Amino acid sequence: MKSIPHVISWNLTKACNLLCTHCYLLADNVQPPDQENTSLPGYTPSEDTLDFNQIQCGTGSTADELDTDTALKVIDEIAELNPNLILILTGGEPLLRKDIFDLSRHAAGKGMMVLLGTNACLIDDKMAKKLKDNGFSGIGISLDSIHPEVHDSIRGAKGSWEKAVEGMKACRRNGLEIQIQTTVFKKNYDEIPQLVAFANNMEARVFNLFFLVCTGRGQDITDITSEQYEDALKQIYKLHSQYEGKMLVSAKCAPHYRRIAYEMDPESALVKYYSGGCPAGTNYCRITPEGNVTACPYMETSCGSLREKSFAEIWNNSGILNELREADLKGRCGECEFESMCKGCRARALVTTGDQMEEDSWCDYEPGKYGGKKLSFKEENTFGLEKKFELSWSKDAEKRLGKVPSFGKGMVIKRVEQYAREKGYTEITPDIMKEAKEKMAGDKKAMFPFMKLLKKKPARNGKIEWETEALERVKNAPDFVRPGIYKLMEIRAREKGYKTITSAFLSEIRDESMQFASRRMKKLGFDKLDMGAFDTAKSKTKNQKKREVIDDIKEFLANRDVKNTEIIDKFRKYMSHVPEDAN
């Protein structure tokens, strides 16, 4: 299978407003006018801050960075290989690049999911709104301790913790998803559970624990021991289970995490649905500020310069990248049962031995403990599959599928189509995607992390208007369902981008709901409209409120004086079009 990039991390600049002890990039310290390097209090972020002409650089310059035109051209070249990848714009501090929004808009316009990697010290409400309006889907924010003084000592500036937290809150107030990134080392090793809890309280969607590879400014830092490394991964797996459904808790730059998951629970979805091991050079790479492509941020060897070659030329033809894809691993990594799901950290192998294919010396595992037979995965459970359609997909279904990042798309297609075949469906619609999602969510041994992206999240801001005719129709509905109708219609209006609810829109959503109800009735074993379906549905739900609503609906239908024959005929039509084996 041809390798394509699914995630690219782009260090746009070395310029930075902090001086972090572990920076792999050796980013240049930048300070706002009239401010000390070690202090941020009183420093108010504004658009003027992003003007390089008013920034005093510390230890270096930004002269070697790719200019705007070249950077835009690189985005075009990336899109030719994969327009649906995840592009992480980071630094240094990426908000110090004056063209950051030109780049983010261009990438988002190509179809990429654009994320920002930042220390968040420059984010206030105005900046958060600007980020959202210029193509950013989410913000990754660095936080290294729950204690301000510890974080500030790591980040090299007093007040940076407070600014980071204020930045998180500004993002959430303005509807931006955040993920919190923590690099673990001796100073914060004992804080892992508290950091995860803090991230959850901040409404982060993801918490990532990064494991230090001693390069750049971090090469002189003493890493945690291999025993602490293993223990930290076990903590993360337990926390992953604890926060499941609330927040994704994961480990980065730690491919051994899959092996830990297997040892703690062989049926873990992290084992069943994740494959490929260390992604460096296989479906992930880094672009440096100067335009060099490397296999990952911790691997400094250039695979080629984007000033001299196109991105596709480098990605397809680099000997360094192709060696990583062939994965002819040496030492214990080559003998290990977990090779396909781990591969060891290629950056650590390179840093410690000078050979990117050598064993990862930070792993204490000795191959053979589980019989020596290498573990393998079913193709349909593997991320990075090619996108292949075997069934027909409606335009709306394809639109929702477009929200899934490219590395999960092939697997999502296979799983949804597999579900459709089991139920006798011949065309994939948004409702069938929703059913498939519900089935996956109900299977505790499975995890389908991208299915939640198939359902567009309604915007929380912005008032929805109602036309008079639509309001009058809802007023005629029974009292016990009227609040639910108001809520559902406004949610669906936001999902579809409508600002006004019309009578026609009410009919559209009503018909969609009737089609969904028809399929549910078929699943309950009913081939036609039957009041008995209510009793069956009631017996299958444990939610007392839902049981009461079912009773109310049944009583209302039984006692009504006038029947809407048009609606009944339409319902019967929908019932007749549900596949016979849909139950």
Side-chain angles (χ1 to χ4, degrees), residues 420-483:
R421 288 191 191 92
E422 291 172 358
K423 297 299 179 182
Y425 301 140
T426 57
E427 182 183 50
I428 307 300
T429 65
D431 282 339
I432 292 171
M433 295 171 80
K434 182 179 178 181
E435 288 181 29
K437 173 194 170 187
E438 290 174 350
K439 180 179 184 297
M440 301 303 167
D443 181 0
K444 293 185 178 180
K445 293 183 179 180
M447 183 175 70
F448 217 179
F450 301 108
M451 290 303 293
K452 61 187 175 185
L453 296 173
L454 300 180
K455 183 177 180 181
K456 187 174 181 181
K457 292 184 69 176
R460 294 183 180 273
N461 55 337
K463 184 178 179 181
I464 299 294
E465 302 292 338
W466 284 72
E467 286 189 352
T468 303
E469 184 181 353
L471 280 174
E472 290 301 319
R473 283 182 62 183
V474 177
K475 287 178 182 178
N476 291 328
D479 293 342
F480 60 88
V481 295
R482 197 178 302 135

Side-chain angles (χ1 to χ4, degrees), residues 16 29-35 37 52-58:
C16 192
N29 181 236
V30 171
Q31 61 188 69
D34 303 321
Q35 294 288 329
N37 284 358
F52 277 11
N53 295 323
Q54 297 185 27
I55 290 177
Q56 300 172 5
C57 294

Side-chain angles (χ1 to χ4, degrees), residues 22-25 212-220 297-300 347 351:
H22 57 292
C23 180
Y24 62 80
L25 194 63
L212 185 67
V213 178
C214 296
T215 60
R217 196 179 291 136
Q219 62 186 328
D220 296 324
Y298 294 118
M299 301 174 79
E300 298 178 354
V351 168

Side-chain angles (χ1 to χ4, degrees), residues 80-273:
E80 289 177 7
L81 272 182
N82 183 6
N84 194 218
L85 53 66
I86 295 174
L87 181 64
I88 305 168
L89 300 181
T90 186
E93 174 47 59
L95 292 179
L96 291 174
R97 262 197 78 130
K98 60 184 178 181
D99 60 356
I100 180 69
F101 298 119
D102 296 321
L103 303 182
S104 62
R105 283 196 308 272
H106 191 62
K110 292 289 182 180
M112 299 177 193
M113 179 181 286
V114 186
L115 306 179
L116 183 76
T118 176
N119 57 48
C121 292
L122 303 179
I123 299 179
D124 57 6
D125 284 298
K126 185 177 181 180
M127 178 61 73
K129 185 178 186 304
K130 199 168 183 180
L131 289 166
K132 186 175 182 181
D133 291 343
N134 283 275
F136 284 99
S137 297
I139 313 296
I141 298 174
S142 301
L143 190 79
D144 292 317
S145 176
I146 59 169
H147 304 295
E149 65 277 9
V150 176
H151 175 89
D152 291 355
S153 70
I154 293 169
R155 294 285 158 180
K158 292 180 181 178
S160 59
W161 186 92
E162 183 180 353
K163 288 291 181 183
V165 173
E166 288 176 2
M168 294 175 197
K169 293 177 179 178
C171 288
R172 296 302 299 126
R173 282 195 299 268
N174 289 275
L176 274 170
E177 299 284 0
I178 63 170
Q179 56 185 43
I180 293 179
Q181 329 269 41
T182 296
T183 299
V184 61
F185 28 52
K186 289 185 176 180
K187 277 190 176 183
N188 61 6
Y189 171 76
D190 293 327
E191 295 184 42
I192 294 173
Q194 293 92 333
L195 279 160
V196 174
F198 182 87
N200 185 56
N201 290 337
M202 294 300 295
E203 298 183 326
R205 191 163 190 173
V206 179
F207 174 86
N208 286 322
L209 189 69
F210 281 79
F211 288 78
L212 185 67
V213 178
C214 296
T215 60
R217 196 179 291 136
Q219 62 186 328
D220 296 324
I221 295 176
T222 302
D223 202 350
I224 59 175
T225 66
S226 55
E227 292 81 8
Q228 289 174 318
Y229 189 173
E230 293 266 320
D231 179 67
L233 291 175
K234 290 176 182 177
Q235 288 188 60
I236 286 295
Y237 183 76
K238 291 177 181 177
L239 291 163
H240 162 80
S241 302
Q242 180 181 335
Y243 286 90
E244 188 173 2
K246 301 176 184 177
M247 177 180 69
L248 177 62
V249 179
S250 189
K252 296 293 183 180
C253 303
H256 320 97
Y257 184 43
R258 308 298 174 219
R259 189 250 306 164
I260 295 293
Y262 179 88
E263 291 181 321
M264 297 183 75
D265 178 10
E267 294 299 312
S268 168
L270 288 170
V271 176
K272 290 179 66 176
Y273 292 97

